[in-house]
Each structure stands twice: as structure tokens, then as C-alpha cells.
């Protein structure tokens, strides 16, 4: 991905750290959010999980409550500080500052991988390569789960433009008025299926009203 697009995403979320959790309070989304918590609590029972781009640890806490252990990484210390203050016991989770495109501090392999609201920030031309690199940190037949946003009229931030690859962008505004242009894609079920191709089995794609959730086992 264009380095400036990656950097814009990184800086935007560092600056947004203290207002990020408000996104999970939006009234119209509560029913779907409850469903996602319920599904994650079933999927990750007894797993050793690697979570990438964990942010403020909102989903980490849910997964940690059922998994054997979760290692959660994010590039921004601003969000990791909030995550570490969630009170998740240290025998259930660890938060590590690392870049998803490098993952140089992650030496173990894991029985499961998770990313919340990260797929949508990767440019279409880099997505397959990114998923391949993520899979390298996971054991054979590991469970992989992605959740992300659907585009919903009058609820999602409008699309500001589309680039030549077909990536879409939004203008995001913080409470203090600062503005950022952020790459944010909204894949269809077919695009998700085509991206994962023959590299996976047991693929399940569920579209809720505001979110989608994908789970599969990587091959081999
Ligand atoms: C949309 S937020 C998702 C946060 C969290 N997964 C959630 O669902 O609440 C994207 C996260 O990606 C992180 N991020 C951005 N660039 C990154 C990078 N290169 N490596 C690791 N994390 C990154 C941001 O700091 C931010 O916390």
C-alpha cells in the first residue's frame, strides 16, 4: 500500500484514541454488537489467539474471557494504553506495540487469528498479500475471524472518492475539528470469497445489518 495511506491511518487512530470507544455506543448498532460478542465468545473458546490492530482492546476483552490466551498488537501506544487499563488479567492477555505489516515482535504461532475493523483499511491490491503474511503467524488449520463494517445509508460516513484501484475513502472528523482522509472499503460477500480463494476451508460469511463477520480455517 502507498506508505502515505498507511501513515494516515496510523496517525488518525492515534489522534482518535480517546474518542474511539464511542463508536460502540451508537444506539442503532447495539443489537448487532451484542450478536458479534456472542459469536466471538463461541468461536474463540480455548484458542491461543493473535489479534492484530487491537485498538483499545474492546474485542480483546470479550475474546480473552473465553480463550486460553490472547496476544493483541497495535502500532499506536495511545490506544494500547487504554487497552491495558481494561483490567484484563495478565494470565489472559498481553498487549504489544507492533506494526501489522512487519509483526517483528511476534515469534510464536497461534491456533487462531482475529482482526476487527482492519480488513476495510487495506487497499484492494495489497489484501491477498496481507492475509498471506498474517496466516504465516498462525498454525496449520488455524481459525481466522474478521469482523468489519457494512456500508449503511444515513449511518456510515459518506464515501468522499474512489481511486483507480476501486478503493473508497472517507473524510473523518474528530471532535476538535481535525479532518483526515481515510481509506475504507466495504467488500461484498463475493469480494470476500474471491480474496480468500482456495486458501481456506469452512468459510462462513455472515452479513448483519451494520457489520459482517467472516470465519474460516486456513489451509494447510
Ligand atoms: C479501526 S481501528 C480497530 C481497532 C480494534 N480492532 C477495534 O475493532 O475496536 C484500527 C486500528 O488499527 C491500528 N493500526 C493502524 N495502523 C496500524 C499498523 N500499521 N499496525 C498495527 N496497527 C495499526 C490503529 O491504531 C487502530 O487501533
Amino acid at each position: 500500500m502507498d506508505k502515505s495511506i498507511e501513515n494516515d491511518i496510523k496517525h488518525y487512530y492515534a489522534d482518535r484514541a480517546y474518542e474511539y470507544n464511542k463508536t460502540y455506543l451508537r444506539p442503532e448498532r447495539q443489537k448487532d454488537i451484542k450478536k458479534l460478542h456472542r459469536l466471538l465468545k463461541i468461536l474463540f473458546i480455548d484458542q491461543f489467539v493473535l489479534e492484530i490492530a487491537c485498538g483499545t482492546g474492546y474485542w480483546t476483552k470479550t475474546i480473552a474471557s473465553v480463550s486460553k490466551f490472547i496476544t493483541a498488537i497495535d502500532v499506536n501506544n495511545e490506544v494500547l494504553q487504554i487497552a491495558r487499563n481494561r483490567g484484563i488479567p495478565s494470565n489472559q492477555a498481553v498487549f504489544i506495540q507492533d506494526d501489522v505489516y512487519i509483526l517483528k515482535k511476534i515469534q510464536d504461532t497461534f491456533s487462531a487469528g482475529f482482526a476487527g475493523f482492519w480488513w476495510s483499511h487495506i487497499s484492494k491490491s495489497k489484501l491477498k498479500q496481507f492475509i498471506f503474511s498474517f496466516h504465516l503467524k498462525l498454525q496449520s488449520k488455524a481459525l481466522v475471524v474478521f469482523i468489519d463494517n457494512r456500508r449503511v445509508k444515513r449511518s456510515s460516513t459518506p464515501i468522499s472518492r474512489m481511486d483507480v484501484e476501486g478503493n473508497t475513502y472517507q473524510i473523518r472528523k474528530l471532535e476538535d475539528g481535525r479532518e483526515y482522509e481515510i481509506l475504507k472499503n466495504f467488500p461484498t460477500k463475493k469480494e470476500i470469497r474471491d480474496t480468500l480463494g482456495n486458501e481456506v476451508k469452512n468459510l462462513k460469511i455472515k452479513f448483519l445489518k451494520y457489520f459482517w463477520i467472516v470465519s474460516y480455517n486456513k489451509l494447510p
Side-chain angles (χ1 to χ4, degrees):
M1 197 195 291
D2 181 335
K3 276 272 175 247
S4 69
I5 294 176
E6 279 173 35
N7 278 330
D8 287 350
I9 291 172
K10 178 172 148 183
H11 291 131
Y12 165 65
Y13 282 108
D15 292 348
R16 189 183 164 191
Y18 294 97
E19 46 188 274
Y20 187 79
N21 288 330
K22 289 184 186 169
T23 194
Y24 293 120
L25 300 176
R26 297 173 71 170
E28 75 279 13
R29 301 188 177 199
Q30 293 312 304
K31 196 171 156 207
D32 275 10
I33 288 173
K34 270 196 197 121
K35 262 189 209 159
L36 291 177
H37 283 291
R38 220 178 299 131
L39 288 169
L40 295 179
K41 278 190 176 176
I42 295 166
L43 286 163
F44 286 110
I45 290 173
D46 287 346
Q47 298 281 2
F48 286 94
V49 186
L50 173 62
E51 178 183 4
I52 51 169
C54 66
T56 61
Y58 178 82
W59 301 105
T60 320
K61 190 167 185 175
T62 294
I63 296 170
S65 70
V66 297
S67 63
K68 281 256 178 359
F69 195 80
I70 178 164
T71 300
I73 73 106
D74 198 285
V75 77
N76 283 316
N77 278 318
E78 290 84 345
V79 295
L80 287 171
Q81 252 175 26
I82 298 170
R84 290 188 183 112
N85 284 329
R86 282 193 184 272
I88 308 172
S90 60
N91 64 351
Q92 289 178 9
V94 65
F95 291 97
I96 297 172
Q97 193 268 331
D98 206 348
D99 190 313
V100 288
Y101 294 106
I102 305 168
L103 292 179
K104 68 171 184 285
K105 296 183 192 158
I106 303 300
Q107 304 303 336
D108 296 335
T109 54
F110 298 80
S111 68
F114 173 70
F117 305 90
W118 181 245
W119 177 304
S120 53
H121 287 314
I122 302 171
S123 74
K124 292 183 180 212
S125 60
K126 294 288 158 72
L127 196 51
K128 277 190 185 181
Q129 177 57 40
F130 175 79
I131 290 169
F132 176 78
S133 315
F134 181 34
H135 284 182
L136 291 179
K137 298 290 178 189
L138 307 176
Q139 293 160 9
S140 167
K141 299 184 181 133
L143 167 74
V144 184
V145 180
F146 289 97
I147 58 176
D148 221 306
N149 296 97
R150 291 191 68 189
R151 191 174 157 207
V152 181
K153 263 190 198 159
R154 287 186 288 279
S155 182
S156 307
T157 307
I159 300 297
S160 54
R161 72 177 173 98
M162 185 184 276
D163 68 18
V164 286
E165 261 182 31
N167 297 301
T168 49
Y169 294 78
Q170 296 173 327
I171 304 293
R172 301 276 187 95
K173 206 170 178 176
L174 294 185
E175 285 168 2
D176 64 10
R178 280 177 292 171
E179 281 190 0
Y180 306 75
E181 185 187 58
I182 295 298
L183 184 153
K184 179 83 180 175
N185 286 324
F186 296 92
T188 60
K189 281 186 184 174
K190 181 178 183 315
E191 283 172 321
I192 294 170
R193 221 177 284 119
D194 290 350
T195 301
L196 296 170
N198 298 326
E199 313 294 314
V200 309
K201 67 172 190 175
N202 303 326
L203 177 62
K204 292 194 185 85
I205 306 176
K206 195 174 175 62
F207 272 41
L208 306 177
K209 181 160 185 202
Y210 294 95
F211 306 104
W212 54 262
I213 176 166
V214 163
S215 65
Y216 59 85
N217 295 97
K218 73 157 210 170
L219 285 176

